[in-house]
């Protein structure tokens, strides 16, 4: 059996405005299905060059959408019976897909089935914005009233640790990426631990500036989709109301389910989507009572948010880019490399497809 995690996120904004109605997930699924059946190009290139493509896996009882990260170079190697390594064979037009599964539940909750290779949750927002003009703002579903605690916290220390082999700027964005990439050049084994603190000396305005900076990093971490890579993440400070010291475990605050799956099923493209849909539907049923107690009920109609069709020919440049990359010689992984090639994010498994 293999270990997977199901992250839970909530759409709290759409295109920068508070979302007070249901997110139009079913309409999005219908648009993607229509485009797929019509053969319309659904690829999207992100600002960093990442190529994404989505497809509908299910409509009922919840819309489920697959988001694939498309790779045509820097691929993992394969080995023959004698252990000789060679590039992963790809026929012309074939690409490697790394998949994350998204189920759109009640109360604007998204259940995200991941394993560590496919697109992180924020990539769905990037894809929907680029392809459909929708920009959902995602916040993690938490186990307790952590928002109130962090609001009152006058933070003085932020500390995190993760295995050295997981050091990669691709896990985070912005300045976190710079920190992790720099560390990866210095540490190759063991555990990497970093602690940021305000300190005891210095002027009050300087301390407040450091507190504000730490708070920004905490907020960035809380919205990251790759928390499963970390061993330890805490924020410490003083409760501004009671004066008590508070230590907040930012890993335990996230509402995440860990499950065991059959890897043979998830490596079979004919079975993986159906298995993922079944897992996500079970998660929706098992956690519905918790969401009802902790999250606000969403009223209104999803029809209030218009969702356009995907226009044919709108992503012609993507095809040209994929064709150009496919001509490159696949890069052979180094012996012993079991982890994904550079650029991997949080998701399910590898799958070869022909486009």
């Amino acid at each position: 059996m293999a270990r997977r995690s199901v992250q839970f996120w909530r759409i709290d904004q759409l295109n920068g405005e508070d979302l007070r109605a249901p997110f139009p997930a079913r309409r999005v699924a219908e648009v993607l299905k229509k485009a797929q059946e019509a053969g319309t190009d659904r690829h999207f290139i992100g600002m960093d060059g990442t190529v994404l493509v989505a497809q509908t896996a299910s409509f009922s009882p919840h819309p489920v959408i697959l988001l694939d990260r498309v790779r045509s170079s820097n691929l993992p190697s394969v080995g023959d019976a004698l252990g000789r390594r060679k590039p992963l064979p790809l026929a012309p037009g074939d690409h490697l897909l790394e998949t994350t599964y998204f189920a759109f539940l009640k109360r604007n909750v998204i259940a995200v089935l991941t394993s560590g290779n496919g697109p992180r949750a924020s990539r769905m927002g990037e894809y929907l914005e680029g392809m459909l003009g929708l920009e959902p703002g995602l916040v993690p579903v938490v186990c307790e009233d952590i928002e109130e605690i962090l609001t009152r916290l006058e933070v003085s220390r932020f500390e995190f640790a993760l295995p050295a082999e997981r050091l990669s700027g691709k896990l985070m964005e912005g300045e976190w990426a710079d920190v992790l990439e720099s560390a990866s050049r210095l540490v190759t084994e063991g555990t990497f631990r970093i602690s940021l603190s305000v300190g005891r000396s210095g002027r009050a305005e300087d301390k407040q500036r450091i507190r504000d900076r730490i708070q920004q990093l905490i907020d960035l971490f809380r919205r990251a989709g790759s928390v499963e890579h970390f061993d330890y993440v805490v924020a410490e400070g003083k409760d501004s109301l009671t004066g008590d010291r508070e230590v907040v475990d930012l890993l335990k605050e996230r509402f995440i389910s860990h499950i065991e799956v059959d890897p043979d099923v998830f490596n079979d493209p004919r079975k993986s989507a159906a298995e993922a849909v079944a897992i996500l539907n079970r998660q929706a049923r098992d956690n519905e009572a918790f969401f009802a107690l902790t999250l606000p009920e969403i009223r209104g109609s999803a029809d209030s948010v218009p969702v356009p069709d995907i226009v044919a020919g709108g992503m012609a440049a993507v095809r040209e880019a994929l064709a150009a990359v496919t001509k490159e010689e696949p890069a052979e992984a180094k012996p012993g490399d079991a982890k994904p090639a550079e650029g991997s994010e949080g998701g399910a498994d590898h799958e070869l497809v022909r486009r």
Side-chain angles (χ1 to χ4, degrees), residues 18-87:
D18 290 345
L19 184 57
R20 304 185 184 279
F23 179 77
R26 192 169 301 277
R27 169 61 180 159
V28 170
E30 291 170 350
V31 167
L32 289 171
K33 187 68 172 179
K34 180 180 178 181
Q36 183 179 352
E37 292 174 346
T40 305
D41 192 349
R42 307 182 314 281
H43 290 83
F44 171 75
I45 296 182
M47 294 294 292
D48 61 355
T50 299
V51 181
L52 303 168
V53 62
Q55 62 177 306
T56 299
S58 176
F59 289 98
S60 180
H62 309 284
V64 177
I65 295 174
L66 278 64
L67 185 65
D68 291 310
R69 178 174 179 269
V70 184
R71 289 172 52 196
S72 301
S73 62
N74 197 22
L75 303 175
S77 301
V78 296
D80 61 17
L82 298 178
R84 291 184 295 242
R85 305 178 69 82
K86 56 184 179 180

